[in-house]
Amino acid sequence: EAGVAQSPRYKIIEKRQSVAFWCNPISGHATLYWYQQILGQGPKLLIQFQNNGVVDDSQLPKDRFSAERLKGVDSTLKIQPAKLEDSAVYLCASSLEGHYGYTFGSGTRLTVV
Amino acid sequence: AQSVTQLDSQVPVFEEAPVELRCNYSSSVSVYLFWYVQYPNQGLQLLLKYLSGSTLVKGINGFEAEFNKSQTSFHLRKPSVHISDTAEYFCAVRGNDYKLSFGAGTTVTVRA
């Protein structure tokens, strides 16, 4: 089966600019997650979707981050405006509803300068 | 809420030597435990998982882990490492909310 697709792989922007990341989960996976992985740290959950509804966004900095999952399939994560501390790898993962196995995408590496 | 502590940030090891990566967790509910590997510039790949049953879990690439409920640990082991095992390893715990919480990671560097 095809894996979790993410784009772009790399992005460099200046602080205060905006950026968007895209994720296409595995077909049929109802649950989608966005994680932020800062260099030297473990991934941290930003937001969890179940189909097109948000289950948990308690760790999402809502003043600058937003995410949506249209039609319960693809998802977009946006940052506006970006700060230097947003430099990280943004990982998307998906899983079947109620299933314990996640599949991760390769991530988008964001550098804010 | 659950959390994970990986006790070693870096583990250098010689090729063909054994390696153990330590992981302790805390949780007030039943947990499911995972080990992931991340190669440079790649996403996370599942090595193995403990959901229930036998406390000794075997995974891919010759790795295994043992769940110890009394010590709240889930240590990862490999009896003989290869250069290709050089990577970052993450322990993760998941409760009934289906959310994974990761440790800070252990960098394994295998030397010839």
Side-chain angles (χ1 to χ4, degrees):
Chain A
E1 64 181 0
V4 176
Q6 289 188 250
S7 66
R9 284 300 309 275
Y10 306 94
K11 190 75 176 179
I12 301 175
I13 62 172
E14 295 183 349
K15 59 184 178 183
R16 292 188 289 274
Q17 284 187 323
S18 62
V19 64
F21 313 128
W22 174 81
C23 172
N24 181 246
I26 292 175
S27 177
H29 280 197
T31 311
L32 185 146
Y33 310 82
W34 282 102
Y35 280 82
Q36 179 192 56
Q37 186 179 15
I38 293 173
L39 186 65
Q41 300 180 20
K44 183 186 79 172
L45 180 67
L46 291 176
I47 189 168
Q48 175 185 352
F49 290 94
Q50 183 72 22
N51 296 308
N52 61 349
V54 175
V55 174
D56 184 354
D57 63 357
S58 59
Q59 299 298 309
L60 188 74
K62 299 180 187 64
D63 58 332
R64 298 184 300 106
F65 285 65
S66 64
E68 60 181 6
R69 188 179 185 196
L70 300 175
K71 300 180 181 178
V73 184
D74 293 8
S75 178
T76 303
L77 178 69
K78 297 179 182 177
I79 308 174
Q80 182 179 11
K83 293 184 175 181
L84 296 177
E85 59 260 38
D86 298 331
S87 293
V89 175
Y90 291 84
L91 294 164
C92 179
S94 69
S95 68
L96 289 167
E97 184 173 357
H99 198 263
Y100 297 105
Y102 280 37
T103 301
F104 281 86
S106 297
T108 295
R109 182 178 297 277
L110 173 67
T111 303
V112 183
V113 299
Chain B
Q2 49 272 356
S3 65
V4 171
T5 301
Q6 291 186 241
L7 301 170
D8 309 289
S9 60
Q10 300 202 22
V11 174
V13 58
F14 286 106
E15 193 174 19
E16 297 182 8
V19 70
E20 178 180 77
L21 309 183
R22 297 178 294 167
C23 171
N24 285 99
Y25 69 92
S26 64
S27 175
S28 57
V29 297
S30 297
V31 296
Y32 308 96
L33 296 156
F34 304 79
W35 276 98
Y36 285 85
V37 60
Q38 187 175 38
Y39 300 104
N41 299 314
Q42 294 188 28
L44 295 164
Q45 180 182 359
L46 181 66
L47 276 179
L48 50 78
K49 61 182 181 288
Y50 172 79
L51 304 181
S52 64
S54 173
T55 57
L56 184 63
V57 180
K58 294 190 182 298
I60 63 171
N61 301 340
F63 284 92
E64 63 180 31
E66 186 157 17
F67 170 61
N68 188 318
K69 188 174 182 179
S70 63
Q71 297 187 7
T72 61
S73 68
F74 190 55
H75 301 334
L76 180 71
R77 302 184 183 97
K78 185 170 182 177
S80 176
V81 296
H82 303 288
I83 298 290
S84 58
D85 292 322
T86 294
E88 186 98 20
Y89 292 79
F90 292 95
C91 184
V93 62
R94 178 174 178 172
N96 295 331
D97 57 5
Y98 298 103
K99 290 181 289 188
L100 276 178
S101 297
F102 287 87
T106 298
T107 301
V108 173
T109 304
V110 181
R111 302 168 181 171

